[in-house]
Amino acid sequence: MKIATNIHVIPGVAAHPYLLVDPDGLTLIDTGIPGSANKILRYIKRMGYSHKDLNRILLTHADYDHAGSLAALKKATGARVHASVYEARAVANGQFPRSLKTENIFLKPIFALAERLGRISPAHVDEHICDGQVLPVLNGLHVVDTKGHTPGHLSFFAPSVGILFSGDSILSMKDRLVGSHGSVTWDQDQADASVLRQWALKARIICSGHGAVVMDGLARLMNLAEVLRLAPAYQRL
Ligand SMILES: [Zn+2]
């Protein structure tokens, strides 16, 4: 499904994989849960491309629903995989990038089980990327450190389009945006700071790992920043 020129979200896969089209080939952001590879490859074929045209896979983070089909897609396409050092380590081990947190003694064993069941096929990350790098995608795709949801979470921002791929650092829920929170959040303060950092980018379109694409992202991020009481901090930047 087309979001903007050369930018697609692949329907029917959780979490959302985004496909970016450049003259020299295709880039995929995130890969969905295990078993999503064929859906993604079918979408690429329907667009008139071969699976070999997928040059690059970027990972926001190593959770099950984002890196679950990475190994299968890498094998099928030969694409080079890019992720932060921390998430690359988790993917290499097929592990959750952080423990799920709870003080509830009844939930502890359930979360431990979820971490075991949530293991993914290990995959090798070819290139470690970090904050401030600009990738040759969509006329310059900026890598943004958005740790908090996980220790090495990254977002990707294309100023030429005003579009932000926020992974799970900012989520689209019903008609609003929310920051990462609750048991899946590695560090809440860092997660809130990552919302602030992304607000400062002034993206128009927000493509989150979950929920609808938000076309009036700037106004909604403003609301989110106010909810987090980040507005005064933003004034001091
Ligand atoms: Zn997710």
Side-chain angles (χ1 to χ4, degrees):
M1 197 169 70
K2 192 170 167 184
I3 300 167
T5 306
N6 297 329
I7 302 171
H8 296 245
V9 58
I10 297 178
V13 180
H16 299 315
Y18 294 96
L19 192 65
L20 317 178
V21 183
D22 279 293
D24 65 341
L26 307 175
T27 298
L28 184 73
I29 299 180
D30 287 345
T31 67
I33 58 171
S36 304
N38 283 340
K39 263 188 202 165
I40 293 170
L41 294 173
R42 273 202 301 275
Y43 190 90
I44 288 172
K45 199 171 172 195
R46 275 207 304 277
M47 285 173 68
Y49 292 95
S50 148
H51 57 275
K52 295 287 175 202
D53 292 320
L54 184 66
N55 292 338
R56 197 181 282 110
I57 298 173
L58 311 179
L59 272 191
T60 59
H61 63 298
D63 271 346
Y64 172 86
D65 53 337
H66 296 255
S69 292
L70 178 63
L73 277 172
K74 187 177 181 185
K75 193 168 171 216
T77 65
R80 281 180 70 77
V81 178
H82 300 58
S84 71
V85 175
Y86 190 94
E87 305 297 318
R89 211 176 298 140
V91 168
N93 295 322
Q95 280 174 339
F96 264 46
R98 45 78 184 89
S99 293
L100 301 175
K101 276 188 279 189
T102 180
E103 295 305 316
N104 183 320
I105 54 164
F106 298 107
L107 281 178
K108 277 183 197 279
I110 295 170
F111 281 11
L113 182 65
E115 284 178 31
R116 273 213 306 283
L117 297 177
R119 289 182 66 86
I120 58 169
S121 298
H124 174 68
V125 170
D126 302 291
E127 209 163 308
H128 295 154
I129 50 175
C130 61
D131 188 73
Q133 271 183 263
V134 182
L135 307 173
V137 177
L138 298 178
N139 293 315
L141 187 64
H142 294 236
V143 180
V144 186
D145 174 1
T146 48
K147 67 168 83 66
H149 181 70
T150 61
H153 192 288
L154 296 174
S155 296
F156 302 98
F157 176 55
S160 61
V161 197
I163 193 164
L164 173 69
F165 301 93
S166 64
D168 284 1
S169 67
I170 296 174
L171 299 163
S172 167
M173 293 177 83
K174 294 190 179 153
D175 59 347
R176 64 200 183 102
L177 293 171
V178 298
S180 179
H181 59 279
S183 56
V184 293
T185 300
W186 168 68
D187 184 308
Q188 191 61 59
D189 288 345
Q190 301 259 24
D192 291 349
S194 287
V195 171
L196 174 64
R197 193 171 302 125
Q198 291 177 97
W199 177 30
L201 298 172
K202 301 209 183 314
R204 289 184 297 109
I205 305 170
I206 313 281
C207 294
S208 168
H210 303 273
V213 171
V214 172
M215 303 304 280
D216 58 343
L218 195 55
R220 288 179 199 254
L221 260 182
M222 172 81 83
N223 293 340
L224 172 57
E226 280 169 2
V227 168
L228 294 172
R229 300 181 195 284
L230 291 171
Y234 180 64
Q235 299 302 327
R236 289 198 298 273
L237 282 181

